[in-house]
Amino acid sequence: MKHIVALQNLVTPWPDGLEPSDVELDAIEQELPLILARVDLLDAQIMTIDRTPSEVDERRIRRARNRVLVARRDLANRTAGSTGSGDAA
């Protein structure tokens, strides 16, 4: 059996700068609770795409929405507290 191999260099070489920086990784880590809450909400909504939501489904979606709101609030409070340089009004 004959193997087919690329004998030429890649057309678009992999640049070294594609890895996320430490600052970007820290930002992702701070947003992770919100990302996970949104994934949970999406999972709850996907479960009811092809059927009428039951009372349990509605409760699951409502709780997932509340978790998203809490995560958004916490993230906003965290970022507002870290960027503010003055006293509270």
Side-chain angles (χ1 to χ4, degrees), residues 32-47:
L32 192 59
L34 177 58
I35 294 168
L36 295 175
R38 285 182 175 171
V39 168
D40 289 342
L41 175 59
L42 187 59
D43 285 343
Q45 291 171 334
I46 287 172
M47 290 174 60

Side-chain angles (χ1 to χ4, degrees), residues 18-81:
L18 278 182
E19 295 295 322
S21 68
D22 290 338
V23 174
E24 292 170 329
L25 290 173
D26 289 340
I28 292 170
E29 187 176 333
Q30 283 211 345
E31 292 178 10
L32 192 59
L34 177 58
I35 294 168
L36 295 175
R38 285 182 175 171
V39 168
D40 289 342
L41 175 59
L42 187 59
D43 285 343
Q45 291 171 334
I46 287 172
M47 290 174 60
T48 61
I49 283 179
D50 60 346
R51 61 186 166 99
T52 304
S54 67
E55 188 176 327
V56 174
D57 293 330
E58 290 173 358
R59 207 176 302 150
R60 183 179 296 124
I61 291 171
R62 186 173 56 249
R63 287 178 181 164
R65 280 189 183 130
N66 288 338
R67 282 192 298 270
V68 169
L69 290 174
V70 167
R72 287 177 67 187
R73 180 197 63 204
D74 292 346
L75 180 63
N77 288 340
R78 205 173 317 127
T79 57

